[in-house]
C-alpha cells in the first residue's frame, strides 16, 4: 500500500518551476516543455499504443508440412512419435476388441475349421502341414495377439503375458491386465499364442525383422523352427 501511495502522490512544487501555472494534463505539460516545432506531434504520440516487451506475443516458427511421395525417414518417425506408445493412460480393457479381431484374422489365416475337421495334430515336425503353419505364423500380424513369454534369457520375463500393441524389429510391446506397458525383446525369448483350441509356441529370434517385411519375405531361418 505504501508503494502505491508513493506512485500516485503529487509531484513537489519545485518540479513546476518555470510554469505559468500547474498543468492539469500531460498534453499541457508537454506543450510547456517541448519545442514549438515538435508540438504538432504531441497528439499523434498519445494515439500510439505502446506494448511492453513481456506482452508481445512470441511468434512460433511453424514448420511447413512435408510434401513428398517418399517414405518418412527414421528421424521423422521419431519426431512424430510413431515408434513409441504412451506409458500412461492405456487400459487393458480398451484392447479386448482388438484381440477379438485378431482371433478372427488368425482363424481365417490358419484355416482352423479345416484343422479341426481333419483331426490334425502336431505330432510330426516334418509334416508338410506343420511347415505351412509355421510359415503362416512367421508372416502373420501380431498386433492384437495375446502373447505369453514361455522362455527368456531374463528370468523375470518368464510368465509375462498381455495383448501386443506394437511390434518393432527387436521388441514386442504388450499391455498386461495390470494396465502396464512392457517391452519384451525378441532375441532370447520364446512366445506362445492361442487360437481356439490350438496353442503355438515360436522363437522370437525367428521374427527379427520389421513386421511389414516379415509379411512378404521368407523367414531367414530354415524350417522347421523351434515350434
Amino acid at each position: 500500500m505504501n508503494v502505491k501511495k508513493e506512485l500516485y502522490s503529487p509531484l513537489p512544487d519545485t518540479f513546476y518551476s518555470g510554469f505559468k501555472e500547474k498543468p492539469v494534463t500531460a498534453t499541457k505539460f508537454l506543450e510547456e516543455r517541448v519545442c514549438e516545432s515538435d508540438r504538432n506531434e504531441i497528439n499523434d504520440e498519445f494515439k500510439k499504443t505502446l506494448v511492453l516487451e513481456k506482452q508481445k506475443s512470441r511468434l512460433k516458427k511453424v514448420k511447413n508440412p512435408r510434401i513428398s511421395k517418399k517414405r518418412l525417414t527414421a528421424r521423422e518417425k521419431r519426431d512424430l512419435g510413431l515408434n513409441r506408445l504412451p506409458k500412461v493412460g492405456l487400459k487393458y480393457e480398451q484392447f479386448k476388441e482388438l484381440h477379438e479381431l485378431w482371433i478372427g484374422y488368425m482363424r481365417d489365416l490358419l484355416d482352423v475349421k479345416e484343422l479341426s475337421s481333419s483331426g490334425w495334430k502336431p505330432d510330426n515336425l516334418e509334416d508338410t502341414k506343420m511347415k505351412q503353419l509355421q510359415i503362416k505364423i512367421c508372416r502373420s500380424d501380431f498386433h492384437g495377439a495375446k502373447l505369453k513369454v514361455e522362455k527368456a534369457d531374463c528370468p523375470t520375463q518368464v510368465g509375462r503375458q498381455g495383448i501386443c500393441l506394437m511390434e518393432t524389429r527387436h521388441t514386442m510391446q504388450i499391455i498386461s491386465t495390470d494396465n502396464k506397458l512392457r517391452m519384451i525383446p525378441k532375441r532370447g525369448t520364446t512366445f506362445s499364442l492361442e487360437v481356439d483350441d490350438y496353442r503355438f509356441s515360436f522363437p522370437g529370434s525367428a521374427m527379427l525383422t520389421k513386421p511389414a517385411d516379415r509379411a512378404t519375405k521368407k523367414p531367414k531361418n530354415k524350417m522347421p523352427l523351434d515350434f
Side-chain angles (χ1 to χ4, degrees):
M1 295 297 292
N2 294 331
V3 176
K4 288 184 178 181
K5 286 182 178 179
E6 292 178 1
L7 289 174
Y8 296 112
S9 59
L11 296 172
D13 295 336
T14 54
F15 184 81
Y16 299 107
S17 59
F19 287 92
K20 298 178 180 178
E21 58 183 13
K22 289 185 179 182
V24 180
T25 62
T27 305
K28 290 185 178 181
F29 174 81
L30 292 174
E31 287 176 352
E32 292 287 340
R33 289 288 185 174
V34 176
C35 300
E36 293 183 2
S37 59
D38 297 331
R39 289 177 185 175
N40 295 331
E41 300 178 5
I42 293 176
N43 292 329
D44 295 335
E45 290 295 327
F46 278 109
K47 291 178 181 179
K48 293 181 180 180
T49 302
L50 302 178
V51 182
L52 299 177
E53 184 67 26
K54 291 183 179 180
Q55 294 175 336
K56 290 182 179 179
S57 59
R58 296 180 180 178
L59 297 177
K60 296 182 179 180
K61 294 182 179 180
V62 180
K63 294 183 179 180
N64 294 327
R66 180 179 182 274
I67 302 174
S68 176
K69 293 182 180 180
K70 296 181 180 180
R71 294 182 179 180
L72 293 175
T73 62
R75 183 185 183 88
E76 289 173 337
K77 289 180 180 179
R78 287 196 300 270
D79 294 340
L80 293 172
L82 300 180
N83 295 332
R84 59 180 181 271
L85 293 170
K87 295 182 179 180
V88 182
L90 298 177
K91 301 294 182 182
Y92 180 83
E93 297 292 330
Q94 296 174 343
F95 302 99
K96 282 188 174 181
E97 293 184 4
L98 176 63
H99 175 63
E100 293 298 328
L101 290 173
W102 180 85
I103 289 291
Y105 154 74
M106 289 300 288
R107 284 172 181 163
D108 295 337
L109 179 66
L110 303 178
D111 198 0
V112 175
K113 288 184 178 180
E114 193 274 334
L115 291 176
S116 301
S117 61
S118 63
W120 176 84
K121 293 182 180 180
D123 297 331
N124 184 8
L125 293 178
E126 297 296 332
D127 182 23
T128 304
K129 191 67 175 178
M130 170 65 82
K131 293 181 180 180
Q132 291 176 353
L133 290 173
Q134 288 180 355
I135 293 175
K136 287 181 179 180
I137 291 175
C138 287
R139 291 181 173 179
S140 63
D141 188 348
F142 291 119
H143 293 93
K146 190 177 288 185
L147 300 177
K148 182 179 180 180
V149 179
E150 299 292 343
K151 299 178 183 178
D153 292 342
C154 181
T156 57
Q157 299 287 8
V158 178
R160 300 281 191 191
Q161 57 183 337
I163 298 175
C164 179
L165 300 186
M166 179 174 285
E167 179 189 359
T168 63
R169 182 190 295 270
H170 298 286
T171 63
M172 296 282 194
Q173 298 182 35
I174 63 174
I175 185 170
S176 305
T177 53
D178 57 359
N179 299 325
K180 290 184 179 180
L181 186 68
R182 293 180 172 88
M183 188 177 295
I184 311 295
K186 291 180 180 179
R187 190 181 298 276
T189 305
T190 300
F191 299 92
S192 68
L193 56 88
E194 294 183 5
V195 181
D196 292 344
D197 297 331
Y198 294 93
R199 183 168 171 269
F200 301 92
S201 298
F202 59 91
S205 57
M207 314 293 181
L208 291 176
T209 182
K210 295 179 180 178
D213 295 338
R214 193 182 72 243
T216 55
K217 296 180 180 179
K218 291 183 179 180
K220 293 182 179 180
N221 297 338
K222 292 183 180 180
M223 298 297 176
L225 301 175
D226 182 21
F227 272 72

